[in-house]
Amino acid sequence: MREPVELRRQRIMAVVESRGPVKVSALAAELDVSVVTVRRDVEELTRAGRLRRGHGVARPLRDPAGTAAVPGPREGEPAGEGGAVALVVPERHSYLYETLHGARTVLEESGIRIALHIAPQSAGAERPLVERALADGARGLLIAPRWRNALSEELDYGWLADVGVPTVLMERRPRPGSALHALDSVCSDHWYGMHLAVEHLVSLGHRRIVLAARDDSPTARTVRAAFADIAAGRPEVTDWTVVLSSPNAVPGPGPSGTEPAPGASPASAGHALDLAALLRERGATAAVLHGDVDALMLVQRLAESGVQVPRDCSVVAYDDVVAALGSTPLTAVAPPKAEIGRAAAELLLHRLSGAAGAAGPVRRTELLPGLKVRGSAQTIIPATD
């Protein structure tokens, strides 16, 4: 299935706004699409007043963080990144780009220079970027490590706990009791987000629910665990199961560090999920789908199998980047991603301020997601078991 056009254009906007002018050919390579496709997207974004276009280059409407438009080093500070706040996020991770922009807004308004680092998909990519930023004099760190599996997360605990400058994790919650437990963090309360999804479906009369979720990020693992906990604890839910939402939803080589949740059904990596068959097998009338791009694709596959949403199956997407853009707009849980970035930046600024209480207790802040009700879930009469 092709990536939705609007999501691809959002990714283009995120890259250009964070890095400044970018060659169309470089965008095409990063997004893994043709140069012709990106050129057409850039033309449409320019026509809509969202970008500026040069000769083979996409340009932001205003100078991005890290260019001359952002305040430079204070007097006496070294060149390079001296005095800047280093902001580290994974490449090709649209979920965290909103978080990045939320943090950027706060830092720019405070006159703080930003040194943005995009971590490639290779394991352990964040550490050399952080070390380089620190060597260049960065005085604070905002970071959202990729952490595709529990092993990669634990390998980062030691060095990240000892970076030596104020640090705030964004949209990440380290394992309790780990070396990073006492590190400032700001993230979404994904248990509550899943509670909203299940509560909405149960209130509509659904008693048999499937979760098709990813398993390649801390958010994905939290969503899976939360669904299992909530569904198992709701007497109204008479049957539930967890499966992988797509062949690409797994962490890749190496242990995932997670055991299958009670009642979960394994899905073979490399094989597309036949959600229609699973719904028939379980007698399920509703599904929660993570994330919303996978949700749109799965809803398309359901339609191809003769299953109409919401007539035959009610759907709630987890994440709300493109959920509203489907032929059937999807009801979706919306994590407060931009607010996460803003809150993380404000906490870091507090640590850097030197004001009274700036060195106070560690803060682990959670912001609650919301539920955007659209048209993909409807009331049913519960079947008698």
Side-chain angles (χ1 to χ4, degrees):
M1 294 286 181
R2 292 181 179 178
E3 179 181 47
V5 173
E6 184 57 30
L7 176 60
R8 186 176 64 244
R9 291 177 181 172
Q10 286 186 14
R11 292 174 63 196
I12 291 172
M13 290 292 300
V15 172
V16 174
E17 288 182 348
S18 61
R19 301 183 200 172
V22 182
K23 289 184 178 180
V24 169
S25 57
L27 283 169
E30 180 162 337
L31 273 62
D32 196 23
V33 295
S34 71
V35 171
V36 172
T37 296
V38 173
R39 186 179 296 121
R40 187 184 306 119
D41 286 340
V42 170
E43 289 173 354
E44 288 298 321
L45 290 167
T46 300
R47 190 174 296 114
R50 299 168 67 186
L51 286 180
R52 292 182 294 151
R53 182 165 57 93
H55 294 292
V57 175
R59 302 177 184 277
L61 294 178
R62 62 191 182 96
D63 292 326
T67 68
V70 179
R74 297 187 182 94
E75 184 178 352
E77 284 182 344
E81 294 179 8
V85 163
L87 206 164
V88 181
V89 295
E91 70 170 337
R92 301 187 184 184
H93 203 306
S94 59
Y95 182 98
L96 287 169
Y97 283 151
E98 287 188 53
T99 304
L100 180 161
H101 289 302
R104 170 188 164 186
T105 299
V106 170
L107 294 172
E108 286 184 341
E109 289 175 350
S110 299
I112 300 295
R113 205 157 52 84
I114 302 164
L116 177 64
H117 298 270
I118 308 294
Q121 298 190 48
S122 56
E126 289 85 2
R127 183 173 185 175
L129 295 179
V130 171
E131 290 175 344
R132 188 178 311 135
L134 295 175
D136 287 339
R139 54 177 167 156
L141 173 64
L142 292 172
I143 184 169
R146 187 178 298 276
W147 287 352
R148 295 197 71 196
N149 54 48
L151 176 60
S152 66
E153 177 179 337
E154 291 178 3
L155 289 174
D156 282 346
Y157 282 173
W159 70 266
L160 194 49
D162 296 321
V163 294
V165 297
T167 299
V168 180
L169 288 170
M170 301 185 300
E171 207 57 295
R172 297 292 182 257
R173 179 71 78 226
R175 175 175 52 79
S178 70
L180 294 186
H181 191 121
L183 189 68
D184 287 329
S185 61
V186 181
C187 69
S188 301
D189 184 343
H190 293 298
W191 188 97
Y192 183 76
M194 187 54 66
H195 163 76
L196 291 176
V198 174
E199 179 67 26
H200 181 62
L201 292 171
V202 168
S203 72
L204 296 175
H206 296 280
R207 300 295 180 258
R208 294 174 174 268
I209 305 172
V210 168
L211 170 68
R214 307 188 66 83
D215 190 27
D216 54 3
S217 72
T219 296
R221 294 189 288 277
T222 301
V223 163
R224 290 161 64 92
F227 177 79
D229 179 51
I230 293 165
R234 291 296 297 259
E236 304 96 326
V237 179
T238 58
D239 186 82
W240 59 275
T241 190
V242 178
V243 292
L244 289 174
S245 56
S246 79
N248 299 321
V250 294
S256 69
T258 58
E259 296 296 327
S265 297
S268 296
H271 294 85
L273 170 64
D274 187 344
L275 183 57
L278 179 64
L279 293 171
R280 287 191 293 269
E281 175 188 339
R282 309 290 302 206
T285 60
V288 182
L289 307 178
H290 172 248
D292 62 339
V293 173
D294 287 343
L296 289 178
M297 293 180 174
L298 288 170
V299 168
Q300 291 172 14
R301 293 193 194 119
L302 286 176
E304 292 165 1
S305 299
V307 178
Q308 296 299 316
V309 173
R311 184 193 67 191
D312 305 313
C313 175
S314 289
V315 167
V316 175
Y318 200 98
D319 201 8
D320 191 34
V321 178
V322 294
L325 303 179
S327 55
T328 299
L330 301 182
T331 292
V333 175
K337 291 171 283 190
E339 289 80 1
I340 293 293
R342 283 192 282 268
E346 288 168 356
L347 177 54
L348 184 63
L349 290 177
H350 175 67
R351 296 299 189 202
L352 293 170
S353 69
V362 170
R363 300 184 182 184
R364 294 165 61 86
T365 303
E366 288 188 329
L367 304 183
L368 271 57
L371 183 71
K372 303 291 183 66
V373 177
R374 299 189 176 103
S376 61
Q378 67 179 19
T379 302
I380 66 165
I381 299 174
T384 303
D385 290 327

